[in-house]
Amino acid sequence: MAADTTTYDPVTTSDLSSAYRSTHAELQAWVDEVAALTKPASITWIEGTPEEWVRLTDELVEAGTFVRLDETKKPNSFWCASDPTDVARVEDRTFICSVDETDAGPTNNWMAPAEMKKLMTELYDGSMRGRTMYVIPFVMGHLDSAHPMFGVEITDSAYVVASMTVMARVGRQVLDKIEATGASFVPALHSVGAPLEPGQADVPWPCSDTKYIVQFPEERMIWSFGSGYGGNALLGKKCYSLRIASVMGRDEGWLAEHMLILKLTSPEGDVKYVAAAFPSACGKTNLAMVEPTIEGWTVETLGDDIAWMRVGADGRLYAVNPEFGLFGVAPGTGWDTNANAMRTIAQGNSVFTNVALTDDGDIWWEGMTEDAPAHLTDWKGRDWTPESEELSSHPNSRFCTPIRQCPILAPEYDDPNGVPIDAILFGGRRKTTIPLVTEARDWTHGTFMGATLSSETTAAATGAVGVVRRDPMAMLPFIGYDAGDYFSHWISMAKNNDESKFPKVFYVNWFRRDEDGGFLWPGFGENSRVLKYVVERIEGKVDAVETPIGLVPAAGALDTDGLDVSDEQLAKALAVDVDEWKAEIPQINEWFEKFGDKLPAVLWTELDALKARLEA
Ligand code: GDP
Ligand code: PGA
Ligand code: MN
């Protein structure tokens, strides 16, 4: 911790002396240091056992944070409502505290590390008073991988412990390996920032109005304060596996990306692996578990949010999902849109946050069923009926559920080496301009597509919803360094390796609208038609047509057999509208100018070529 900035009060830790003491000197020293600073009432090291889960969830029920759901409907599952102000990632409170400001780049908030440490050390001082401090040893990716990616989260939130237990591999086995190998780990400190004075009653969802989500990239360290929400508090996820890991990837020659991973098998039994980057709440979880509507094709899931990709000995790009659970957007998830997610949560062992509670001890949200139940308790704890004006569930309400329960989990999920990726899809939420599917000519053009990716903002982050912004590779809030350097890293990945073995890149948009605001493309299961097209393009089985923006399906190349969409509507979904694209150019230009010298010159060349083709 901040050894260079502050000295801590010498506090007596005698009441904490019963806590486990690690043989890993650095880990134990850090735990002692955090305890001395935050002054918790007790310390618990997380073992990851079923007994511990029962104890923890019982305590959460007792505290009023959790409501146990009916065992016959959702076994071992819990409903939870957050503070209404603590419902999403807080991008304006998220910082990359690199030593040099330039290394954070123009897309991140920055503060000098020493200054941030001083400020947050004051916030952490006594912040765990009256609470239990939990120490969670975790590993992102497989414990048996060649270089296990360890972390230890210290938190004063039992909700975070329960959620981390679902989302990452945690506990005794992980700690044993850290200790046995003397491995280094990412220290990840989290406090809800709501100390309890003696006799003070707790609230179901403690949090603070002051929030900081901070990454120290050079030290590979995370400090989070004030929020209990997933992306802000489950520090193995976005903070480690994307922000810190992207910096590790830059330094070590690999990629940490905001991508789902799926396995697609054709009727002939040919297997392809696809990774896809869509911004938060733009369809990753849904596509990862999609049920194809086309005969004979199957999809299996490997990951729904994060992919770590390294070049293998054969020159191909191999992806692993570092997570152990699914943290999915609840609204819109139903038997007709994402049946596999419904089957996953039906097995229980899940936490549901900010959804509605039914009178018979189950959960409900908008889009789960066509008709809403006659009466619910909404996410704010109020009576709700279909006549109510507000939604029953927060738009960013979530299910947190073990990925192992996914009925279509691919067996390769357990392979620490991952799977070789054949295609990368970039996609966003755009009402106009972006066609259903466009193919990049090569890796550089694919990097240009990713670098200029745009999407309408969603409820997954606080702030306005529906505003178009550039979201490069769906990583805008997650690149742990200068985004210009990140684009260079993408370009160099193919340059330093054999590009011919790299995945083909496609740009998709499920969210284009007609004049009346309706979706032009039915999406969900029908997206399998686009997956099939992608595979058939890779295999050279179907034709594409050159357009100014890239290759689009030739007539008949996209399988529309049995698709309930008129030819006119389909044409609109696929159309490349030169005028709409011309209007896009100044925005891309402005976006690129942000990066000054750091923008790879080849991306300017791509933009110039695009302009020229649009003018031709
Ligand atoms: P993630 O945060 O990227 O994993 O996004 P999700 O898969 O959880 O989806 C976010 C929201 O987009 C949910 O409300 C989904 O129902 C909706 N969604 C996902 N896929 C599609 C699609 O193909 N078409 C439409 N119209 N909506 C979709
Ligand atoms: P997602 O991320 O919306 O990409 O699933 C979860 C989060 O923002 O915490
Ligand atoms: Mn998701």
Side-chain angles (χ1 to χ4, degrees):
M1 263 179 54
D4 54 336
T5 53
T6 330
T7 50
Y8 306 122
D9 296 338
V11 221
T12 164
T13 52
S14 58
D15 56 334
L16 306 178
S17 61
S18 60
Y20 172 81
R21 297 200 66 80
S22 175
T23 57
H24 191 295
E26 199 189 326
L27 171 56
Q28 187 58 51
W30 178 59
V31 169
D32 286 342
E33 196 181 356
V34 171
L37 173 62
T38 60
K39 305 173 182 70
S42 60
I43 299 180
T44 298
W45 289 69
I46 291 304
E47 301 269 339
T49 61
E51 298 74 34
E52 179 185 76
W53 169 269
V54 170
R55 210 163 48 237
L56 202 70
T57 52
D58 280 351
E59 280 170 26
L60 281 158
V61 170
E62 181 73 18
T65 308
F66 277 5
V67 171
R68 183 179 292 280
L69 297 177
D70 185 289
E71 281 298 316
T72 64
K73 301 199 166 70
K74 297 281 181 303
N76 189 30
S77 296
F78 304 89
W79 176 82
C80 176
S82 80
D83 186 286
T85 63
D86 194 23
V87 293
R89 284 184 293 99
V90 283
E91 294 182 1
D92 57 335
R93 309 300 307 159
T94 301
F95 291 77
I96 301 297
C97 291
S98 45
V99 171
D100 289 324
E101 180 169 8
T102 51
D103 287 329
T107 61
N108 286 307
N109 299 310
W110 179 86
M111 198 187 286
E115 194 186 331
M116 181 61 88
K117 285 178 186 172
K118 183 162 181 290
L119 185 162
M120 290 189 77
T121 298
E122 279 163 25
L123 293 172
Y124 284 131
D125 189 353
S127 74
M128 296 191 187
R129 250 195 213 104
R131 299 191 181 280
T132 299
M133 176 177 122
Y134 300 95
V135 183
I136 317 171
F138 67 92
V139 63
M140 299 311 296
H142 297 255
L143 194 53
D144 298 330
S145 79
H147 304 284
M149 302 287 275
F150 293 115
V152 178
E153 177 160 353
I154 293 182
T155 179
D156 55 6
S157 162
Y159 170 87
V160 165
V161 179
S163 306
M164 276 293 284
T165 303
V166 175
M167 293 306 299
R169 297 163 176 88
V170 309
R172 186 74 238 182
Q173 269 182 302
V174 177
L175 181 61
D176 282 348
K177 193 144 184 183
I178 295 177
E179 291 181 341
T181 59
S184 58
F185 60 91
V186 169
L189 172 55
H190 171 254
S191 173
V192 291
L196 289 169
E197 298 313 324
Q200 185 184 341
D202 204 356
V203 292
W205 185 278
C207 62
S208 168
D209 290 340
T210 304
K211 293 179 173 56
Y212 283 96
I213 317 300
V214 180
Q215 285 69 209
F216 298 97
E218 287 90 355
E219 288 174 81
R220 317 285 202 237
M221 181 169 85
I222 303 158
W223 283 11
S224 167
F225 184 91
S227 170
Y229 170 75
N232 302 329
L234 313 179
L235 303 184
K237 194 174 178 55
K238 307 290 187 180
C239 300
Y240 182 161
S241 294
L242 291 177
R243 297 196 192 101
I244 295 293
S246 64
V247 177
M248 294 172 165
R250 174 199 63 188
D251 296 347
E252 299 164 8
W254 53 280
L255 295 168
E257 298 298 331
H258 192 202
M259 293 180 182
L260 67 93
I261 311 166
L262 65 81
K263 174 183 178 183
L264 183 67
T265 308
S266 75
E268 296 76 37
D270 293 332
V271 170
K272 290 278 186 289
Y273 298 98
V274 178
F278 309 152
S280 293
C282 293
K284 288 182 300 302
T285 302
N286 274 269
L287 188 64
M289 298 196 215
V290 73
E291 278 194 301
T293 50
I294 41 178
E295 199 52 36
W297 290 76
T298 56
V299 164
E300 290 160 87
T301 309
L302 282 111
D304 82 319
D305 198 45
I306 297 172
W308 285 351
M309 301 194 286
R310 293 169 198 268
V311 180
D314 60 0
R316 300 184 68 190
L317 203 51
Y318 282 75
V320 295
N321 168 19
E323 299 195 277
F324 204 46
L326 307 167
F327 185 67
V329 177
T333 308
W335 287 101
D336 51 351
T337 55
N338 192 351
N340 286 316
M342 297 301 285
R343 293 182 187 110
T344 307
I345 61 173
Q347 293 178 58
N349 312 308
S350 304
V351 179
F352 300 92
T353 305
N354 292 339
V355 304
L357 182 64
T358 68
D359 294 347
D360 58 356
D362 204 348
I363 35 98
W364 191 84
W365 49 69
E366 279 70 24
M368 180 189 280
T369 53
E370 205 169 314
D371 296 320
H375 179 263
L376 294 166
T377 303
D378 77 3
W379 72 283
K380 288 182 175 167
R382 302 168 304 192
D383 284 319
W384 188 93
T385 67
E387 283 72 48
S388 295
E389 272 172 21
E390 287 180 42
L391 298 171
S392 74
S393 305
H394 187 275
N396 192 38
S397 54
R398 298 277 172 157
F399 56 81
C400 177
T401 193
I403 196 169
R404 304 220 57 105
Q405 292 179 187
C406 175
I408 57 160
L409 189 68
E412 297 90 321
Y413 171 79
D414 282 322
D415 188 341
N417 296 320
V419 293
I421 298 298
D422 297 287
I424 288 176
L425 315 186
F426 290 120
R429 206 177 256 277
R430 284 294 303 268
K431 292 188 175 75
T432 66
T433 319
I434 312 296
L436 182 64
V437 55
T438 315
E439 180 183 340
R441 290 182 308 277
D442 53 26
W443 182 262
T444 303
H445 185 215
T447 302
F448 175 82
M449 284 178 171
T452 57
L453 185 71
S454 55
S455 194
E456 290 142 19
T457 51
T458 67
T462 54
V465 168
V467 180
V468 174
R469 68 174 185 183
R470 299 294 130 183
D471 192 339
M473 284 80 172
M475 283 283 282
L476 180 69
F478 309 120
I479 302 169
Y481 57 104
D482 187 296
D485 289 336
Y486 169 79
F487 301 148
S488 297
H489 182 52
W490 263 79
I491 298 287
S492 74
M493 283 298 290
K495 216 175 258 159
N496 299 339
N497 296 286
D498 178 356
E499 185 182 328
S500 71
K501 302 222 168 73
F502 266 40
K504 295 271 177 288
V505 179
F506 296 80
Y507 192 165
V508 301
N509 179 21
W510 315 145
F511 299 95
R512 206 171 186 180
R513 312 268 189 145
D514 59 23
E515 300 79 28
D516 306 325
F519 290 112
L520 283 165
W521 177 250
F524 302 103
E526 304 294 10
N527 294 335
S528 58
R529 296 174 189 275
V530 176
L531 293 176
K532 176 184 173 187
Y533 167 76
V534 162
V535 165
E536 294 189 334
R537 279 297 300 158
I538 293 170
E539 293 181 335
K541 287 185 181 162
V542 291
D543 290 331
V545 188
E546 285 274 5
T547 75
I549 64 163
L551 298 151
V552 303
L558 187 73
D559 181 349
T560 54
D561 235 26
L563 178 70
D564 186 20
V565 171
S566 71
D567 289 349
E568 194 200 347
Q569 194 175 328
L570 186 66
K572 282 184 184 165
L574 290 165
V576 178
D577 183 318
V578 170
D579 289 332
E580 283 183 339
W581 274 94
K582 281 183 179 167
E584 197 82 0
I585 298 294
Q587 298 169 38
I588 298 176
N589 212 73
E590 192 186 330
W591 167 242
F592 275 3
E593 275 171 358
K594 267 180 187 285
F595 303 102
D597 293 347
K598 296 241 180 169
L599 194 90
V602 289
L603 295 185
W604 280 121
T605 311
E606 285 289 338
L607 179 57
D608 289 341
L610 172 60
K611 263 191 265 184
R613 288 192 302 267
L614 288 170
E615 296 300 337

Coordinates of all heavy atoms in Angstrom, one line a residue, residues 376-417:
L376 N -46.3 -7.4 -7.3 CA -44.9 -7.7 -7.1 C -44.4 -6.7 -6.0 O -45.1 -5.7 -5.7 CB -44.1 -7.4 -8.3 CG -44.3 -8.2 -9.5 CD1 -43.6 -7.6 -10.8 CD2 -43.6 -9.6 -9.3
T377 N -43.3 -7.0 -5.4 CA -42.5 -6.0 -4.7 C -41.4 -5.5 -5.6 O -40.6 -6.3 -6.1 CB -41.9 -6.6 -3.4 OG1 -42.9 -7.2 -2.6 CG2 -41.2 -5.6 -2.6
D378 N -41.4 -4.2 -5.9 CA -40.5 -3.7 -6.9 C -39.1 -3.6 -6.2 O -38.9 -3.8 -5.1 CB -40.9 -2.4 -7.5 CG -40.8 -1.1 -6.6 OD1 -40.2 -1.3 -5.5 OD2 -41.2 -0.1 -7.1
W379 N -38.1 -3.2 -7.1 CA -36.7 -3.2 -6.6 C -36.5 -2.2 -5.5 O -35.5 -2.3 -4.8 CB -35.7 -3.0 -7.7 CG -35.7 -1.6 -8.3 CD1 -36.6 -1.1 -9.2 CD2 -34.7 -0.6 -8.1 NE1 -36.2 0.2 -9.5 CE2 -35.0 0.5 -8.9 CE3 -33.5 -0.6 -7.4 CZ2 -34.3 1.7 -8.9 CZ3 -32.7 0.6 -7.4 CH2 -33.1 1.7 -8.1
K380 N -37.4 -1.2 -5.4 CA -37.3 -0.3 -4.3 C -38.1 -0.7 -3.0 O -38.3 0.1 -2.1 CB -37.7 1.1 -4.7 CG -36.7 1.8 -5.7 CD -37.2 3.2 -6.1 CE -36.1 3.9 -6.9 NZ -36.7 5.1 -7.6
G381 N -38.7 -1.9 -3.1 CA -39.4 -2.4 -1.9 C -40.8 -2.0 -1.8 O -41.5 -2.2 -0.8
R382 N -41.4 -1.4 -2.9 CA -42.7 -0.9 -2.9 C -43.7 -1.9 -3.6 O -43.2 -2.7 -4.4 CB -42.8 0.5 -3.6 CG -41.9 1.5 -3.0 CD -41.8 2.7 -3.9 NE -41.4 2.3 -5.3 CZ -41.0 3.2 -6.2 NH1 -41.0 4.5 -5.9 NH2 -40.6 2.8 -7.4
D383 N -45.0 -1.8 -3.3 CA -46.0 -2.6 -4.0 C -45.9 -2.2 -5.5 O -45.8 -1.0 -5.8 CB -47.4 -2.3 -3.5 CG -47.6 -3.0 -2.1 OD1 -47.1 -4.2 -2.0 OD2 -48.1 -2.4 -1.2
W384 N -46.1 -3.2 -6.3 CA -46.1 -2.9 -7.8 C -47.2 -3.7 -8.4 O -47.4 -4.9 -8.1 CB -44.7 -3.3 -8.3 CG -44.5 -2.9 -9.8 CD1 -43.9 -1.7 -10.2 CD2 -44.8 -3.7 -11.0 NE1 -43.9 -1.7 -11.6 CE2 -44.4 -2.9 -12.1 CE3 -45.4 -4.9 -11.2 CZ2 -44.6 -3.3 -13.4 CZ3 -45.6 -5.3 -12.5 CH2 -45.2 -4.6 -13.6
T385 N -47.9 -3.1 -9.4 CA -48.8 -3.9 -10.2 C -48.6 -3.4 -11.6 O -47.9 -2.5 -11.9 CB -50.3 -3.5 -9.8 OG1 -50.5 -2.1 -10.2 CG2 -50.6 -3.7 -8.4
P386 N -49.2 -4.2 -12.6 CA -48.9 -3.8 -14.0 C -49.4 -2.4 -14.3 O -48.9 -1.8 -15.3 CB -49.8 -4.9 -14.8 CG -49.8 -6.1 -13.8 CD -49.9 -5.5 -12.5
E387 N -50.2 -1.8 -13.5 CA -50.6 -0.4 -13.7 C -49.6 0.6 -13.2 O -49.7 1.8 -13.5 CB -52.0 -0.1 -13.0 CG -53.2 -0.7 -13.7 CD -53.3 -2.2 -13.6 OE1 -53.1 -2.7 -12.5 OE2 -53.4 -2.9 -14.6
S388 N -48.6 0.1 -12.4 CA -47.6 1.0 -11.9 C -46.9 1.8 -13.0 O -46.7 1.2 -14.1 CB -46.6 0.3 -11.0 OG -47.2 -0.2 -9.9
E389 N -46.5 3.0 -12.7 CA -45.9 3.8 -13.8 C -44.4 3.5 -13.9 O -43.8 3.5 -15.0 CB -46.1 5.3 -13.5 CG -47.4 5.7 -14.1 CD -47.8 7.1 -13.7 OE1 -46.9 7.9 -13.3 OE2 -49.0 7.4 -13.9
E390 N -43.8 3.1 -12.8 CA -42.3 2.8 -12.9 C -42.1 1.3 -13.2 O -43.0 0.5 -13.0 CB -41.6 3.2 -11.6 CG -41.5 4.7 -11.4 CD -40.8 5.0 -10.1 OE1 -39.8 4.4 -9.8 OE2 -41.3 6.0 -9.5
L391 N -40.9 1.0 -13.7 CA -40.5 -0.4 -14.0 C -40.4 -1.1 -12.6 O -40.0 -0.5 -11.6 CB -39.2 -0.4 -14.7 CG -39.2 0.2 -16.1 CD1 -37.8 0.3 -16.7 CD2 -40.1 -0.5 -17.1
S392 N -40.7 -2.4 -12.7 CA -40.5 -3.2 -11.4 C -39.1 -3.4 -11.1 O -38.7 -3.5 -9.9 CB -41.2 -4.5 -11.6 OG -40.5 -5.4 -12.4
S393 N -38.2 -3.4 -12.1 CA -36.8 -3.8 -11.9 C -36.0 -2.6 -12.5 O -36.3 -2.1 -13.5 CB -36.5 -5.1 -12.7 OG -37.3 -6.1 -12.2
H394 N -34.8 -2.4 -11.9 CA -33.9 -1.4 -12.4 C -33.4 -1.9 -13.8 O -33.1 -3.1 -13.9 CB -32.8 -1.1 -11.5 CG -31.9 0.0 -11.9 ND1 -30.9 -0.2 -12.8 CD2 -32.0 1.3 -11.6 CE1 -30.3 1.0 -13.1 NE2 -31.0 1.9 -12.3
P395 N -33.3 -1.0 -14.8 CA -32.8 -1.4 -16.1 C -31.4 -2.1 -16.1 O -31.1 -2.9 -16.9 CB -32.7 -0.1 -16.9 CG -33.5 0.8 -16.2 CD -33.6 0.4 -14.8
N396 N -30.6 -1.9 -15.1 CA -29.3 -2.5 -14.9 C -29.4 -3.6 -13.8 O -28.4 -3.9 -13.2 CB -28.2 -1.5 -14.7 CG -26.8 -2.1 -14.8 OD1 -26.6 -3.0 -15.7 ND2 -25.9 -1.7 -13.9
S397 N -30.6 -4.1 -13.5 CA -30.6 -5.2 -12.5 C -29.9 -6.4 -13.0 O -29.9 -6.6 -14.2 CB -32.1 -5.5 -12.1 OG -32.8 -5.7 -13.3
R398 N -29.4 -7.2 -12.1 CA -28.5 -8.3 -12.6 C -28.8 -9.7 -11.9 O -29.3 -9.7 -10.8 CB -27.1 -7.9 -12.2 CG -26.6 -6.7 -12.8 CD -26.0 -6.9 -14.2 NE -25.7 -5.7 -15.0 CZ -24.9 -5.7 -16.0 NH1 -24.3 -6.8 -16.3 NH2 -24.6 -4.6 -16.6
F399 N -28.5 -10.7 -12.6 CA -28.4 -12.1 -12.0 C -27.0 -12.4 -12.0 O -26.2 -12.1 -12.8 CB -29.3 -13.1 -12.8 CG -28.9 -13.3 -14.3 CD1 -27.8 -14.0 -14.7 CD2 -29.7 -12.7 -15.2 CE1 -27.5 -14.2 -16.0 CE2 -29.4 -12.8 -16.6 CZ -28.3 -13.5 -17.0
C400 N -26.6 -13.1 -10.8 CA -25.2 -13.5 -10.6 C -25.3 -15.0 -10.4 O -25.9 -15.4 -9.3 CB -24.7 -12.7 -9.4 SG -23.0 -13.2 -8.9
T401 N -24.8 -15.8 -11.3 CA -25.1 -17.2 -11.3 C -23.8 -18.0 -11.8 O -23.1 -17.5 -12.6 CB -26.3 -17.5 -12.1 OG1 -26.8 -18.8 -11.9 CG2 -26.1 -17.3 -13.6
P402 N -23.6 -19.2 -11.2 CA -22.4 -20.0 -11.6 C -22.5 -20.4 -13.1 O -23.5 -20.9 -13.6 CB -22.5 -21.2 -10.7 CG -23.4 -20.9 -9.6 CD -24.4 -19.9 -10.2
I403 N -21.4 -20.1 -13.8 CA -21.3 -20.5 -15.2 C -21.4 -22.0 -15.4 O -21.9 -22.5 -16.4 CB -20.1 -19.9 -15.9 CG1 -20.2 -19.9 -17.5 CG2 -18.8 -20.6 -15.5 CD1 -19.2 -19.2 -18.2
R404 N -21.0 -22.8 -14.4 CA -21.0 -24.2 -14.5 C -22.5 -24.7 -14.6 O -22.7 -25.9 -15.1 CB -20.4 -24.9 -13.3 CG -18.9 -24.4 -13.1 CD -18.0 -25.6 -12.7 NE -18.1 -26.6 -13.7 CZ -17.2 -26.9 -14.6 NH1 -16.1 -26.2 -14.7 NH2 -17.4 -27.9 -15.5
Q405 N -23.4 -23.9 -14.3 CA -24.8 -24.3 -14.4 C -25.4 -24.1 -15.8 O -26.5 -24.5 -16.1 CB -25.7 -23.6 -13.4 CG -25.4 -24.0 -11.9 CD -26.2 -23.2 -10.9 OE1 -25.9 -23.4 -9.7 NE2 -27.2 -22.4 -11.2
C406 N -24.6 -23.4 -16.6 CA -25.1 -23.2 -18.0 C -25.2 -24.5 -18.7 O -24.2 -25.2 -18.8 CB -24.2 -22.2 -18.7 SG -24.6 -22.0 -20.4
P407 N -26.4 -24.9 -19.2 CA -26.6 -26.2 -19.8 C -25.8 -26.4 -21.1 O -25.6 -27.6 -21.5 CB -28.1 -26.3 -20.0 CG -28.6 -24.9 -20.1 CD -27.7 -24.1 -19.2
I408 N -25.4 -25.3 -21.7 CA -24.6 -25.5 -22.9 C -23.2 -25.1 -22.8 O -22.5 -24.6 -23.7 CB -25.3 -24.7 -24.1 CG1 -25.5 -23.2 -23.8 CG2 -26.7 -25.3 -24.4 CD1 -25.7 -22.4 -25.0
L409 N -22.7 -25.2 -21.6 CA -21.3 -24.8 -21.3 C -20.4 -25.8 -22.2 O -20.5 -27.0 -22.1 CB -20.9 -25.0 -19.8 CG -19.5 -24.4 -19.4 CD1 -19.5 -22.9 -19.6 CD2 -19.2 -24.8 -18.0
A410 N -19.5 -25.2 -22.9 CA -18.6 -26.1 -23.7 C -17.5 -26.7 -22.8 O -17.0 -26.1 -21.9 CB -17.8 -25.2 -24.8
P411 N -17.2 -28.0 -23.1 CA -16.2 -28.7 -22.2 C -14.9 -28.0 -22.2 O -14.2 -28.0 -21.2 CB -16.1 -30.1 -22.9 CG -17.2 -30.2 -23.8 CD -17.8 -28.9 -24.1
E412 N -14.6 -27.3 -23.3 CA -13.3 -26.6 -23.4 C -13.2 -25.5 -22.4 O -12.1 -24.9 -22.2 CB -13.1 -26.0 -24.8 CG -13.0 -27.0 -26.0 CD -14.4 -27.3 -26.5 OE1 -15.4 -27.4 -25.8 OE2 -14.5 -27.4 -27.8
Y413 N -14.3 -25.1 -21.8 CA -14.2 -24.1 -20.7 C -13.2 -24.4 -19.7 O -12.5 -23.6 -19.1 CB -15.6 -24.0 -20.1 CG -15.6 -23.1 -18.9 CD1 -15.6 -21.7 -19.0 CD2 -15.5 -23.7 -17.6 CE1 -15.6 -20.9 -17.8 CE2 -15.5 -22.9 -16.5 CZ -15.5 -21.5 -16.6 OH -15.5 -20.7 -15.5
D414 N -13.0 -25.7 -19.5 CA -12.0 -26.2 -18.5 C -10.6 -26.3 -19.0 O -9.7 -26.7 -18.2 CB -12.4 -27.5 -17.9 CG -13.6 -27.3 -16.9 OD1 -13.5 -26.3 -16.1 OD2 -14.5 -28.2 -16.9
D415 N -10.3 -26.0 -20.2 CA -9.0 -26.1 -20.8 C -8.2 -24.8 -20.5 O -8.6 -23.7 -21.0 CB -9.1 -26.3 -22.3 CG -7.7 -26.6 -22.9 OD1 -6.7 -26.3 -22.2 OD2 -7.7 -27.1 -24.0
P416 N -7.2 -24.9 -19.6 CA -6.4 -23.6 -19.3 C -5.8 -23.0 -20.5 O -5.4 -21.8 -20.5 CB -5.4 -24.1 -18.3 CG -5.7 -25.5 -18.0 CD -6.6 -26.1 -19.0
N417 N -5.6 -23.7 -21.6 CA -5.0 -23.1 -22.8 C -6.0 -22.4 -23.7 O -5.6 -21.7 -24.6 CB -4.3 -24.2 -23.6 CG -3.2 -24.9 -22.9 OD1 -2.4 -24.2 -22.2 ND2 -3.1 -26.2 -23.0

